[in-house]
Amino acid sequence: MAAIDLATVHAVVFDTDGVVTDTARVHAAAWKHVFDAFLRGRSAPFDVRDDYLRHVDGRPRLDGVRTFLASRGITLPEGSPDDGPDAATVHGLGLAKDALFVAEIGRHGVAAFPSTVALLHELRRRGCRTAVVSASRHCRALVASAGLTHLFDVTVDGVDSARLGLAGKPDPALFLEAARRLGEPAGRTAVVEDALPGVEAGRRGGFALVVGVDRSGERAAALRAAGAGVVVEDLAELSVTGRVPHAGTGDGETRRSTVGSGEQEGRS
């Protein structure tokens, strides 16, 4: 059975969409709606699996627009954040997608993957620090909506990325910033990712272990080629070894004072 060995790994950084929260499909559906409307009469429709996974998944929103359109040989003006969601610009398409995503989450809420929650509890029970990372500006709201804020010491999201000038995946900057805030070097930190750019970022960052999550059961080879040392279809397949649970601690709820200080750090 694949394992995170806490004899060598002292912290774990989790991607958000598709790893912690079941929101990747909501992102993909929003992208399809926006791109299909734009592509009508120009190109074939957006493929919610292939195009999403190849060109959009794991990337900052505007990079996803640029990368997908480039795959179709289409170039648009950048525009500006002041563009409306109906503008035929990179910012306009990005804003249209964001509005759809926020509306959908507002209507239906956010669900967490039970196996991820169980893994987080086990890691924290054994004294392992944890972080959650996303290129999305909505990361904190998504994690809070899923009721998981107390299980992470640190959050690094799109707000932090913009403020600090961090490059998007496959650059490892987001993951390295999370490890820095956790107080651990990359060589003692694991990354858990489901997107190819994120797995590549973990490899490029020199992390101790990169776990690729292949929920479709169809991308194991691609995830390994991108740099995953371990690939699982669900995090229930991943065990935790190498450190005895702290005496007298529970599943993370009893470490609320530590978590509170870490969350404050994540908002700096």
Side-chain angles (χ1 to χ4, degrees), residues 20-184:
V20 175
T21 59
D22 189 10
T23 43
R25 58 187 176 80
V26 185
H27 282 290
W31 279 121
K32 180 168 178 58
H33 182 91
V34 169
F35 281 135
D36 282 359
F38 172 77
L39 292 171
R40 195 168 294 119
R42 290 186 173 96
S43 183
F46 180 83
D47 188 293
V48 77
R49 286 179 60 81
D50 188 61
D51 286 325
Y52 178 73
L53 294 174
R54 285 177 178 270
H55 307 301
V56 177
D57 189 25
R59 301 181 190 274
R61 187 167 65 245
L62 298 182
D63 283 353
V65 175
R66 297 183 192 104
T67 304
F68 170 68
L69 292 181
S71 75
R72 300 295 180 91
I74 298 171
T75 302
L76 283 182
E78 283 291 303
S80 78
D82 296 327
D83 288 351
D86 56 346
T89 64
V90 170
H91 278 273
L93 293 182
L95 289 165
K97 179 268 172 183
D98 193 50
L100 283 174
F101 177 78
V102 170
E104 185 68 11
I105 292 300
R107 281 193 294 269
H108 301 292
V110 178
F113 290 103
S115 58
T116 302
V117 177
L119 176 60
L120 283 162
H121 281 302
E122 182 63 13
L123 288 169
R124 298 182 67 78
R125 190 170 73 93
R126 292 172 178 259
C128 181
R129 286 169 62 78
T130 55
V132 64
V133 165
S134 175
S136 170
R137 293 174 179 266
H138 305 299
C139 175
R140 283 182 172 83
L142 293 176
V143 172
S145 180
L148 302 180
T149 300
H150 66 287
L151 292 179
F152 296 103
D153 298 291
V154 163
T155 301
V156 182
D157 66 2
V159 176
D160 298 306
S161 179
R163 178 172 58 84
L164 299 173
L166 303 178
K169 305 170 190 175
D171 190 285
L174 281 170
F175 290 145
L176 291 172
E177 177 64 14
R180 184 191 71 78
R181 295 185 188 188
L182 287 168
E184 295 291 347

